[in-house]
Amino acid sequence: MQFIKVGKVTDYDVIPIKSISMLGRKVGVIKRPDGSFYAIEVGCKHQGADLTNGTIKDGIVTCPRHGWQYDLETGECLNAVSSNLRRHELKIEDGVIMVSLHPIR
């Protein structure tokens, strides 16, 4: 699996979520309260809006365009019939965050 460097762990000391563009898709790198990280698509399945610009409360993100809601941990769309957001493999090496180019599910 091919990985790309997307930042450092210290980049997430203040802001726990950031969006990156990979192969034309938005992928979010998210730091959990326990300090672990994961990566998941953050382009809304409705019209592609960047979900990191939406409202996030208790792990649920609301799309800034039309209000679709997703569970950021599972990727499940909660209020519309939609495919789920897909996860990307993430690994950390010497404080550098690396994310797989292609989703794992």
Side-chain angles (χ1 to χ4, degrees), residues 11-55:
D11 295 340
Y12 293 81
D13 288 345
V14 176
I15 299 171
I17 184 170
K18 293 186 181 187
S19 176
I20 56 172
S21 184
M22 292 179 25
L23 301 175
R25 293 185 310 268
K26 294 290 184 189
V27 175
V29 174
I30 302 168
K31 181 179 180 182
R32 294 181 182 102
D34 70 2
S36 63
F37 287 83
Y38 68 99
I40 192 166
E41 290 177 328
V42 289
C44 180
K45 297 293 185 171
H46 180 219
Q47 290 186 347
D50 187 340
L51 295 171
T52 64
N53 294 324
T55 304

